[in-house]
Amino acid sequence: MAGQRWRNSRLAQVIGELTAELDHAWAELLGASGVAPGTPDETALAWLVADDPTGYGWRVVDAALDRLTCTECGATLTRGPVGCGRCGYYHGVRFAAREVDRPDVPAGNEHAIRVAFAVARARHRYSPRARAGYELVLPSLVAGDLPTTAQAQAAKALINRLTPEECDDVASLAEVERLAHRRGPVNG
Ligand SMILES: [Zn+2]
């Protein structure tokens, strides 16, 4: 993550907070399992979690992946090139992790956070439009919102009017709207 420049400061802050939550969740699992950090046992535990994430919260699963090296391409597991089958496999499997909503948020909020965070951290696996859609909404998801289907579709329709370069440059949904409307009426 070092050196990554996020499209706005709020997103950078939220990514930092979620990354800290991953580290915290991992430290808790280590403590509960009686495993010392930096030991081969930690690596073994991380593989155990990565291979069968269904019993773990998604923060623990993502933390495990962050601590593993891909035996095929040598990158941090799931961070390798799109062509690496092993990274692709584990990137897919991660979504079997548990996603428990926080209190007082709309049902499905945690799933949306989980997916948006995964997209933001595996940007090269997704199109510029997908990146823009998920990254622009992530801070509001973390704040406890969940767009309705209609809202999500409206945002997607606007993003679809942008060029790939614009998608990677936009810093806010307001900016998306401005650029999209410059191309004429959206439903006209
Ligand atoms: Zn790989």
Side-chain angles (χ1 to χ4, degrees):
M1 281 298 98
Q4 168 79 44
R5 288 175 57 197
W6 299 102
R7 62 180 72 237
N8 62 54
S9 58
R10 182 72 189 117
L11 177 64
Q13 188 188 336
V14 161
I15 296 277
E17 287 167 7
L18 287 169
T19 305
E21 289 176 19
L22 261 55
D23 291 340
H24 181 73
W26 185 251
E28 272 190 350
L29 179 68
L30 286 186
S33 311
V35 170
T39 60
D41 281 352
E42 181 183 29
T43 308
L45 181 61
W47 279 115
L48 199 74
V49 171
D51 277 322
D52 186 10
T54 51
Y56 302 95
W58 71 264
R59 288 172 179 76
V60 168
V61 174
D62 278 20
L65 294 169
D66 285 351
R67 283 158 179 80
L68 293 170
T69 300
C70 176
T71 50
E72 199 170 307
C73 72
T76 301
L77 195 58
T78 74
R79 306 281 184 94
V82 173
C84 177
R86 202 162 164 79
C87 279
Y89 170 78
Y90 281 99
H91 181 65
V93 165
R94 80 198 310 158
F95 293 106
R98 297 178 63 210
E99 299 157 344
V100 181
D101 280 317
R102 296 167 294 169
D104 305 321
V105 299
N109 169 271
E110 191 68 19
H111 174 68
I113 291 174
R114 190 278 177 280
V115 173
F117 183 68
V119 171
R121 294 217 310 166
R123 309 182 84 245
H124 64 297
R125 296 189 177 280
Y126 298 89
S127 69
R129 283 179 175 143
R131 290 199 283 262
Y134 283 110
E135 290 174 2
L136 289 173
V137 81
L138 180 56
S140 71
L141 296 173
V142 169
D145 296 333
L146 187 65
T148 63
T149 306
Q151 287 169 335
Q153 282 172 349
K156 196 173 170 202
L158 292 173
I159 288 170
N160 283 347
R161 295 169 68 93
L162 271 52
T163 65
E165 293 73 23
E166 287 171 341
C167 284
D168 276 336
D169 283 347
V170 283
S172 68
L173 281 169
E175 200 180 334
V176 168
E177 211 159 324
R178 212 161 45 238
L179 286 166
H181 285 112
R182 200 172 289 170
R183 307 248 143 75
V186 169
N187 293 314

